[in-house]
Amino acid sequence: MIVGAILLIIEAFSPGAFMVIPGTVLVILGLIGAAFPDILYSWWSPVIALVVAVPVTLLTIKGYQRLAKPEPPTTTVVESLIGKTGTVTVATEVGSMRGKVRIGSDTWSATSDEPIEAGETVVVESSEGVHVHVRRP
């Protein structure tokens, strides 16, 4: 019962660790064992654990599905980058794709009509594949 309570506390502080299932089973088995000690050491113990674990597992899965509804993966469409601002992480050069620009959490190869130093803010004018053409705002 104590181990079950510890697992439930861990789950409370770290949701999604799925400690609620074994924690609940151990707490219920501990309560049954405290009330009926002879049952705890009999063949009934694994049966009770299974009978408790199945609905607790289903309820836990349903509960987490309700808390964190699945979302479709996000994708970046080339046209969606036009007009976005970013920060140059590797200086851009005219006619070269060696430059790098961070837009949001992604880094893109970049070129520009004039050299732009790292750290400057830029705006995406056009994009093609994984490359963007940027300018100073």
Side-chain angles (χ1 to χ4, degrees):
M1 186 164 50
I2 294 172
V3 174
I6 291 171
L7 292 177
L8 291 176
I9 290 170
I10 290 171
E11 180 71 23
F13 286 103
S14 179
F18 291 98
M19 297 292 163
V20 69
I21 298 168
T24 303
V25 171
L26 290 174
V27 166
I28 291 174
L29 280 177
L31 291 173
I32 291 172
F36 309 103
D38 293 338
I39 291 177
L40 187 62
Y41 298 108
S42 70
W43 64 273
W44 283 102
S45 185
V47 172
I48 293 170
L50 186 64
V51 168
V52 172
V54 170
V56 169
T57 302
L58 294 175
L59 289 174
T60 302
I61 290 171
K62 286 293 181 189
Y64 278 117
Q65 285 176 340
R66 182 171 285 184
L67 288 175
K69 293 183 179 180
E71 295 180 9
T74 60
T75 58
T76 302
V77 179
V78 173
E79 292 80 24
S80 68
L81 293 173
I82 297 172
K84 290 207 171 196
T85 59
T87 303
V88 176
T89 57
V90 175
T92 64
E93 301 172 12
V94 177
S96 171
M97 291 290 180
R98 292 185 184 171
K100 302 286 183 196
V101 174
R102 177 171 287 278
I103 302 168
S105 61
D106 298 319
T107 300
W108 299 82
S109 295
T111 187
S112 59
D113 290 336
E114 60 181 332
I116 301 175
E117 296 298 320
E120 291 192 47
T121 300
V122 291
V123 176
V124 177
E125 283 188 323
S126 63
S127 61
E128 182 177 334
V130 295
H131 309 291
V132 294
H133 187 271
V134 295
R135 64 171 171 77
R136 287 188 173 98

